[in-house]
Amino acid sequence: MRKRGRRMFWPNRDSYNFIRTQRRQSLRFWRGTRVRIWWVGNMSHSSTILYQSTAIELFFLVSDDYVTDDSGTGIVHQAPAFGEDDYRVCVAVGAVDKSQLPCPVDESGRFLEPVHDFVGVYVKEADKLIVDAIKKKGRIVKNEQYFHSYPFCWRSETPLIYKAVPAWFVKAEELKDKLLENNLKSSWVPKFVQTNRFGNWLENVRDWNVSRNRYWGTPLPIWTNEAHTERLVIGSVEELETLCGKSGIVDIHRENIDDLEIVNPETGNVLKRVEEVFDCWFESGSMPYASIHYPFTEEARNYFGNAFPADFIAEGLDQTRGWFYTLTVLATALYDKPAFKNCIVNGLVLAEDGKKMSKRLKNYPDPMTVVNEHGSDALRLYLINSPVVRAEPLRFREAGVRDVVKEIMLPWFNAYRFFVQNAKHLEFETGESIKVGTHTAKEMGSRNPMDHWVMSSLGSLIHFVRQEMAAYRLFTVVPRLVHFIEDLTNWYVRLNRPRLKGAISLDDWRIGLENLADVLLALSRLMASFTPFFSEYTYQNLKNYAPESLQSESVHFLMVPELRDDVVDEKFEAAVGRMQEAITLGRVARERRNVSLKQPLGKITLVHRDQNVLDSVMSLESYVKSELNVQEVVYSTLESEFVVLKADADGKILGKKLGKSFAKVHKAVRSMTSDQVQDLESNGSVEIEGHKIEACDIRITRDLAPSLKDQAEHLETAFTGGRSGLLALLDLQVDEELEEQGTCREVVNRVQKLRKHCGLNPKNRIEVYYWTSDAKLGGVIARRAAEIGNTLKSPPLLELKHLSPKAVVYSEAETKVGSSPLRLCMVRAAPCPSVARLAEAPSATRDSATSAASYILARESGELHELMEQLQTTKISIDDVEYELKPGYNVFKSNSERLAAGAPP
C-alpha cells in the first residue's frame, strides 16, 4: 500500500564551512572530526558536497546502492533496529554491534528513553509532534507531504513498523558451503529453481530466526536464569521430567510447561523456560523426524534409516524461502545430507486479473462450483497442463476449464462411446465379443496403416511417460498425453470411421475395434493419475473387453502399461506427421477461400526440397485425397517454380541487437534474392554488413512465382514455415463434374442431418424421396441418385411423386443446397410389391393382392430379401390365395428397383 510521508530540510547553510567536493565512488566510508551532513546539493549523480560545523558531535557518512539521488535529498539517516538495509549497512561499517542494537521503541510501538521529549508516544502519532518541535527551534526550511510505498497489515489494514526484537537463531551462515553442496545432490523440477532462485537464496544465506513472540505455538525447549548466563536445552519429555521432577507430562504446550522450573545440575541455580515459541517453519522443517517420532522408538529408527532422504517432495515456488529452506538447513545441520532426492516445484495460481486470490476481494470462482459445473478431472487437467507445473504463475480462468472439457474430455469420451456402440453392434451382428489380446500388436498394426501408426504412437507414448515420470517431469508428460488424445480422436478414429463401423469387411471390423479397445484401455491406465474419475469410468466398461491380466476392481490397482518398444516405428510416425501436415495445409487453404470440404477439387500440389519427405506423404496419399476431397496430389521438389521467397528484418528483435546498424542491415535483408533467402533458411544464418543474422530474426514470406500470377485467382498457398516445412498449392478451379460431385455431398449431408434428427442408427434402413423447384439441382440428383444412395447405404433417391401412400415416414424436412430449395422425405425401407403382378396369381383379385402386398410391406426388408435369396422364390398364402413371390418380377427390394424394372404399382 502507499502512505503519505514528509520531507524536511534544515536552514542556516551559511553557518557551515565548505570543505570539498568528493567523488561518490571514493565516499564508501568517510569519517571526519565533528562532521555532520547538512545538505546535499543538486549536482551530478556522482558528487556529494560536504560541510563542516564546529558545534556538532561526530557523524559517519557511508554509501550504499539502495539510496538514490533521484528523490529527496539523496541522503537518509540510518536506524539499524528498524530496517533491513539500515541494519546491514551499520553492521558492515561497525557502527553498531548486531547483538546490542539501539532501539528506543517498545513492543507497543511507543518511544522510550533517551527520546525523552516523546516517551510513551506511539511512533505514528509522534510525526506531527516532531515536526512542531523542530519548527519551534526554527530549523525547518520546507515541510511537505508525498506518497510512497509502505507496509500495512493485510488483516487490519493498519500501518506496520519494522523493529528488531531479541530472538533465537540457528547459525545458518556457518553452514553455507554445506548447504550449497547438499542442494546440488538433489534433483529439482524445473531445474532453474534449484540453481537460480534457491541456489541464490543459499548463496546469500543469513542466520535463521527460529523464535516467535507469541502464545500459541510449540515452546522453545530452552531453560535459562534471569541473567541469561546459564541455559539448558531439553531434548525429550523424558529428560524434562527427570530435570523438573515431575512425571506424566503429556501435553508440552505453554500452559502446561511454562511454570516448570529446573535446577541446573551443575550450578544448582533455578532455571525457567524462555518466553518464545518456535517459528512454525522450524516444525515444518522437522517433518521427516517429528512425523514418525524419531528417534524415540525402535520402529521410527528403523523406518527413518530407509526413508531418509525422501524420494520426492512437492510444493509451491514460494517455499524456496520456506519449507524447502528449512528442510535443507535442518537436514544439513543434523546429518549433512539433503532432506529429499527429488523436488517438484509448482508456480502460484493467481486470480484472472493477475492478483493473489483473496477471500476478502472474492476475485476467484468458488472451487466447488467449478467442480460441479465442469468436473474435478477437467479442473485437475487444466491445472497440470498449465504454466504452474513449470513453476510459473497461472492466471486462473474458469473458461480454461471449460475449454478442457470441450477440447479434451468430450473428444475422449466420444472416442470411447464410438467404440462401445460399434463393439455392441458387432456383437449383435455376429454373436462374438471383442477381446483385446486375440491378436498381437504387430499383427494388428500390419493390417492397416492407421492401426500401425496408432500402435506405434502408443508405444512411443508409453516409453515417454515412463521415462519422464521417472524423472518427475510432469510438465512434459501431460502435453504429450493430451496430444495423443487429439491424435486418437481427430485422426485415428476419423480416418478409420467407415472401417470401425464395419463398412469394409467383417474381419477388418473386428481387428480395428480390437485395436481401438487396446488403445483406450492403455489410455485409461496412462491417464489414471491425471484424470482419476473419468479413467475409472471408461475402464469399468472397457475391462469387459480386456484380457485376464488387466481384470481388476479398479484401474488404480493396475500398473502403468509395460513398454511396447517392439511396435514403435518412428519413421512411419514421422510419415504420418507429414501426412497430417499436408492435410492441415489443405484445410487452411480451403478456409482462406471459404471453400467447403464437401466441394471436390481437382488437385493439390505439395512442394518440399527433400524427396524423402514427399515420398512419406505419397505412401499415405489415399488419406490426403479423402480428407481434402481432391482427385489428384502432385509432388515437386522445385520450390522456385511455384513461389518466390522474400525476407524482411524483425525490427523488434534486430533493432535491439544492432542499434544504429539496423537501418543498413534492414535494407540489405529486404534486397535479398529468393535464392539467398533459401540459403538463409537452409544454413540457419547469414552474415550481412558484418553482422551474423540468424534465420529466426528474419520474417520470410512466400509469394506466387511470376509465372503463376495469372492463375492467382484459382490458387491458394499454405506453408508451415522453416526449411523443414511443406508448401501446399491448392487448385480451386471447379468444372461441371466437380460441381456435381459437390452437390451430391451436400445432399448426403442434409439426409444425414435428418437421420440424426430422427435418432436413427446405422441398422435402421431408409429410403429417401426428394422434391426441388430448381431444375439444375433436380437434374443432378436424378443423374446421381444411385451414387448418393450408395453413400447413404440406401436405394437410389426417388422423386417425391413416387412415394407410396403406405410408406412409413420417419421425417420430412425443407432445406437448401446453396440457394436452391430441397424437400426431403425419409421413410422406412421395405420390400416393394407390385400389386398388379401379384393379382396375376390364380384365384387372386385386386383386393386380395392388395392384402398380400400389405403383408409383404410389414416384413423387415433385410429379412425378406435374405429369405428370397436363399429360396429363389417364396410362396405365401393370404385369404386362401397362394402367391409365388418372384424377386425382380412381382416383389422388389425397393421402390426404385420396381421403377427401374418398369413394373406397375
Side-chain angles (χ1 to χ4, degrees), residues 202-220:
L202 295 180
E203 189 68 44
N204 298 284
V205 67
R206 297 290 179 264
D207 288 343
W208 174 20
N209 176 7
V210 296
S211 65
R212 295 292 181 269
N213 298 85
R214 299 169 184 161
Y215 184 81
W216 301 111
T218 299
L220 282 176

Side-chain angles (χ1 to χ4, degrees), residues 188-194 343-346 389-392 475:
W188 289 56
V189 178
K191 190 71 174 178
F192 74 86
V193 181
Q194 177 186 25
C343 180
I344 300 176
V345 186
N346 61 265
V389 294
R390 299 190 297 272
E392 299 172 7
F475 62 91

Side-chain angles (χ1 to χ4, degrees), residues 26 155 313 328 415 479 489 544 801 869 896:
S26 64
R155 289 186 181 274
I313 63 170
T328 302
T489 57
N544 296 322
K801 63 183 180 181
E869 288 174 0
S896 59

